Amino acid sequence: MKHLILIILIQFSFICFGQESIENNGKMCRLLNEMINNDQLYRSGEILGGSFGTENNSSKKEIDSVWSLQIEIDNRNTEKLIGLTKKYGWISDERIDCPKLNIWLIFRHSQKKYFPEILELITKEHEAKRLNDFHYRLIKNHLEGRPKM
């Protein structure tokens, strides 16, 4: 019985504290910055720029087409960030010495199909004090349909 309890405690510790350390902060910083740049690729472009594509001369078909491309990027970014967060825990600017990272935007622009998994991850990371209160609230606000904060 004592061995069973010991085995359970060991497995629990691996689950709770199993994040790997980030070996190359510079490489991780470049990867995450590339993800953020992609996140803004079409959002800040000619068609979707401004008030989210509503104040320009583009047709609805053009706007919808560009949004479709952006959503593909958002899905790839979301899946990548979910994987990285599961592996390393929340990757903050301070943790990898990567100023103005704003990686929280990836989850803020995620699609509904990812919401349950994201909520579970951010709750765990917030409770572990790796995700600060402000970014936790911003992401959670998105997952809740963006009610006024």
Side-chain angles (χ1 to χ4, degrees):
M1 182 68 169
K2 289 180 183 179
H3 293 332
L4 179 61
I5 292 172
L6 181 61
I7 290 170
I8 291 170
L9 286 174
I10 290 170
Q11 287 178 336
F12 180 74
S13 68
F14 282 117
I15 292 169
C16 290
F17 306 107
Q19 276 84 32
E20 294 182 28
S21 62
I22 301 169
E23 293 180 16
N24 188 331
N25 288 352
K27 184 177 179 182
M28 182 63 74
C29 182
R30 285 188 297 279
L31 170 66
L32 296 174
N33 273 312
E34 180 182 325
M35 291 168 64
I36 292 299
N37 288 337
N38 288 339
D39 178 80
Q40 296 299 308
L41 184 64
Y42 296 110
R43 283 182 174 88
S44 60
E46 185 178 317
I47 293 178
L48 299 183
S51 299
F52 301 102
T54 59
E55 295 180 12
N56 63 43
N57 295 324
S58 301
S59 70
K60 180 177 178 355
K61 184 176 180 179
E62 289 173 311
I63 293 169
D64 290 347
S65 178
V66 174
W67 268 120
S68 177
L69 294 171
Q70 185 61 60
I71 288 170
E72 286 180 31
I73 291 171
D74 292 345
N75 289 342
R76 282 195 306 272
N77 277 344
T78 299
E79 290 169 9
K80 192 178 292 186
L81 187 56
I82 286 171
L84 290 171
T85 304
K86 285 180 178 180
K87 185 172 182 176
Y88 300 110
W90 186 254
I91 305 169
S92 64
D93 307 20
E94 302 82 18
R95 187 166 169 215
I96 61 169
D97 191 26
C98 190
K100 300 179 184 177
L101 188 56
N102 295 327
I103 198 66
W104 57 272
L105 277 171
I106 302 297
F107 283 165
R108 180 93 172 155
H109 293 149
S110 63
Q111 302 298 303
K112 285 184 181 183
K113 66 182 178 180
Y114 299 105
F115 287 9
E117 191 170 14
I118 291 171
L119 180 59
E120 182 181 331
L121 275 174
I122 66 166
T123 301
K124 177 183 171 189
E125 294 304 306
H126 184 250
E127 289 171 356
K129 307 284 189 230
R130 290 184 289 262
L131 177 60
N132 69 43
D133 291 339
F134 181 67
H135 292 150
Y136 173 75
R137 285 194 310 270
L138 282 173
I139 297 167
K140 193 163 187 239
N141 173 263
H142 172 66
L143 303 178
E144 294 170 344
R146 298 192 181 204
K148 292 189 186 228
M149 294 176 77

